[in-house]
Amino acid sequence: MPAKSLGWAWWRAPLTLGTIVAIVILACAAPARAQITFPSASPISAGNIVIRAQPTATEESGGVQSLYGEGVVLYGASPDLTFILENKSIVSNSAELFAHGQMQEMNATGFGDTVLDTRYIVYENDGVGSTFRIAPYFGIDIPTGMQNTNAFVPRELQPASGDWGTREALTSSWNTLFWNAQALIGYQNYASSGGYQAGGGLLADAAFHYLVWPGDLDREVPAEIFASLEANYTLYTPDRFQGENVSGTGGQLLTVDPGFIYSRPDWGFALTALLPVLQQTRGIGGARYDYGFEAAFRINFFTYHHW
């Protein structure tokens, strides 16, 4: 396949100064090649701190619209250990709901929850210009957000869940000079709060990025542009209230996300569409996901404060 030949044939050629510079960039600036839609699996080296701001907008049937901004901080505490902080700084959900005897557009806006992740590399295979890693991680959902900003809006449309939760996942990443791929598979679970329990379920994500500019690396490379294709799959159980399933919650959703990444050693920008190709809801009353867009702004820097 062409992608494979471009990704592997370069090693047969003599190592020029430009290629050596590219290898150094790959080793020291791996976060520049990170995926867009699931940053908790992003590769990062010891001493690097990556700060990401990710605004996302989605549209569902029934006039349901969501807009939220997520902040992500990754810190390479050691060559193998990474700490990750994810926070939905602001969430705004709106929908057409029946209230006061008529259909009205209701909105719930406020702060979202926070997730703390710890990831540790258990397997690593490094070659000249390539690296493959497997790293499980464990995350804790902390109910720091606002779960009752509008009494007329159902619980699942509030800015935050109001529940403690856990997330266990296995991540992998494969980076070369010309392409990179990442994957994640895990399980999300929530505790009950006030008689309400958000549904837990399976998470599965994959990403592939291919270098489209510059065409060769035998020179100084101030920036890179990648074509991006990612996919996200969720399979959730229904929410439960007082021991009963909440109709219209739970089900499965698979999105395919085409986009691009503009990357420099110290900052970058990415944009992707979120397009559903498979979805199923449980019970009546569930909104169908139509489309979404997600952007990512990244800045990273190095510190000697690591293990």
Side-chain angles (χ1 to χ4, degrees):
M1 296 176 61
K4 186 174 181 180
S5 63
L6 284 174
W8 289 101
W10 68 271
W11 68 268
R12 301 188 184 94
L15 287 179
T16 64
L17 177 60
T19 303
I20 294 173
V21 171
I23 292 172
V24 172
I25 292 175
L26 174 67
C28 298
R33 296 161 168 259
Q35 63 278 14
I36 307 170
T37 57
F38 54 111
S40 53
S42 299
I44 185 170
S45 56
N48 270 317
I49 297 177
V50 177
I51 301 174
R52 294 167 61 116
Q54 299 194 199
T56 302
T58 63
E59 177 84 20
E60 299 181 10
S61 62
V64 179
Q65 298 176 330
S66 295
L67 176 64
Y68 63 89
E70 185 173 19
V72 183
V73 179
L74 300 96
Y75 168 54
S78 77
D80 297 323
L81 180 64
T82 301
F83 295 120
I84 305 166
L85 171 67
E86 302 176 68
N87 174 255
K88 288 186 176 178
S89 53
I90 191 69
V91 179
S92 180
N93 296 323
S94 62
E96 295 179 0
L97 302 170
F98 190 80
H100 305 295
Q102 59 182 348
M103 293 296 294
Q104 299 183 31
E105 182 172 329
M106 296 290 181
N107 179 271
T109 301
F111 297 109
D113 290 334
T114 300
V115 181
L116 293 176
D117 297 327
T118 300
R119 192 182 70 211
Y120 191 82
I121 296 174
V122 295
Y123 176 78
E124 182 175 0
N125 187 359
D126 295 326
V128 179
S130 69
T131 180
F132 177 76
R133 298 176 179 179
I134 296 177
Y137 81 78
F138 177 78
I140 298 178
D141 285 69
I142 304 174
T144 57
M146 305 164 69
Q147 71 272 14
N148 192 22
T149 61
N150 187 334
F152 295 99
V153 174
R155 180 71 174 267
E156 61 269 18
L157 291 179
Q158 296 292 335
S161 67
D163 301 328
W164 289 84
T166 60
R167 188 192 311 175
E168 302 85 26
L170 183 68
T171 71
S172 64
S173 62
W174 193 350
N175 291 270
T176 76
L177 295 178
F178 293 93
W179 59 266
N180 65 91
Q182 295 88 27
L184 177 151
I185 185 167
Y187 186 80
Q188 178 81 54
N189 186 53
Y190 291 99
S192 177
S193 174
Y196 193 96
Q197 183 177 20
L202 176 71
L203 309 173
D205 304 293
F208 181 80
H209 311 127
Y210 188 80
L211 181 67
V212 296
W213 185 87
D216 65 80
L217 299 176
D218 289 332
R219 56 189 174 88
E220 185 180 355
V221 182
E224 297 174 325
I225 297 178
F226 288 85
S228 171
L229 183 62
E230 304 187 3
N232 312 109
Y233 177 75
T234 56
L235 176 62
Y236 274 100
T237 60
D239 298 353
R240 296 179 65 83
F241 181 69
Q242 302 294 353
E244 300 292 332
N245 290 345
V246 178
S247 181
T249 63
Q252 60 180 333
L253 174 65
L254 171 64
T255 64
V256 173
D257 319 319
F260 75 92
I261 301 172
Y262 175 81
S263 177
R264 300 181 69 91
D266 55 349
W267 66 273
F269 169 77
L271 180 66
T272 189
L274 309 171
L275 308 177
V277 296
L278 171 67
Q279 61 178 312
Q280 179 186 22
T281 57
R282 297 174 184 257
I284 60 174
R288 290 187 62 82
Y289 181 89
D290 291 332
Y291 61 87
F293 294 95
E294 184 167 0
F297 304 88
R298 169 191 56 81
I299 183 171
N300 64 283
F301 53 93
F302 180 79
T303 174
Y304 287 100
H305 299 286
H306 61 86
W307 300 352

